[in-house]
Amino acid sequence: MTVLEGKKAPFFSLRNENGELVSLEDFANEKYVVLYFYPKDSTPGCTTQACDFRDNYEDFSKLNAVILGVSPDNEASHQKFIGKHGLPFSLLIDDEHEVAEQYGVWKLKKMFGREFMGIERSTFLINPQGDVVKEWRKVRVKGHIDEALETLTEIVNG
């Protein structure tokens, strides 16, 4: 497992649901970035996670943070997912899983007796200076967003 906490966040530049390029440097010296990797749009766990981030979006925003979701899904899938659930943040397309590999979240997974490569649900909190200040790997959806918000609150408010 790659441990990124305390190190510079790997650079990324990916297209979002509207085909716009979004890069880590877009937020440099300005915002915290909550970068969360999830396996697939419109699946139960991923929908719950996205909706939990949506429901806490204002709280993250008040703490000067942007939320960015990343999965291998395409633009049309992201647009549908955002539209169906009213997500107020961008979803980035990592169809070649390059960024997932940089963050060490492209893993061998096992389900129903078969093995395949896919995203391991993970979240990274990146400060405005571009450092990973907290990482959560093998995330369980229930309670995760509360924990991420609590950690961000503690960091911002000292």
Side-chain angles (χ1 to χ4, degrees):
M1 173 174 67
T2 307
V3 177
L4 296 174
E5 206 166 296
K7 298 178 181 170
K8 282 287 178 203
F11 173 80
F12 65 83
S13 188
L14 294 170
R15 300 245 174 238
N16 70 6
E17 70 281 354
N18 296 317
E20 302 160 334
L21 208 54
V22 176
S23 302
L24 180 58
E25 66 185 17
D26 294 344
F27 309 102
N29 300 312
E30 291 182 26
K31 300 267 185 192
Y32 284 88
V33 176
V34 178
L35 185 68
Y36 82 96
F37 291 85
Y38 65 99
K40 188 163 180 51
D41 289 344
S42 302
T43 56
C46 298
T47 299
T48 299
Q49 184 178 28
C51 290
D52 284 352
F53 272 123
R54 175 201 65 204
D55 294 346
N56 289 278
Y57 179 79
E58 288 301 319
D59 292 328
F60 280 98
S61 294
K62 287 175 187 171
L63 293 168
N64 198 35
V66 297
I67 299 167
L68 298 172
V70 182
S71 82
D73 296 298
N74 63 30
E75 201 173 298
S77 177
H78 280 345
Q79 287 175 346
K80 183 178 177 186
F81 192 43
I82 286 170
K84 183 174 182 179
H85 299 288
L87 305 181
F89 49 85
S90 277
L91 300 177
L92 308 182
I93 302 161
D94 191 16
D95 54 351
E96 299 292 322
H97 47 82
E98 291 175 21
V99 177
E101 288 183 37
Q102 286 181 298
Y103 280 80
V105 301
W106 187 252
K107 302 277 188 175
L108 181 65
K109 299 173 82 173
K110 296 177 183 181
M111 189 178 343
F112 304 120
R114 66 181 192 100
E115 293 184 344
F116 58 96
M117 295 300 290
I119 287 187
E120 177 181 84
R121 191 182 314 278
S122 304
T123 302
F124 299 85
L125 178 57
I126 303 166
N127 69 16
Q129 292 72 43
D131 303 312
V132 177
V133 293
K134 182 70 177 170
E135 62 185 312
W136 294 269
R137 294 179 181 269
K138 296 184 181 178
V139 165
R140 297 267 180 247
V141 173
K142 186 172 174 55
H144 171 61
I145 280 70
D146 292 336
E147 185 181 344
L149 185 58
E150 184 178 309
T151 300
L152 178 61
T153 301
E154 289 172 4
I155 290 169
V156 169
N157 294 332

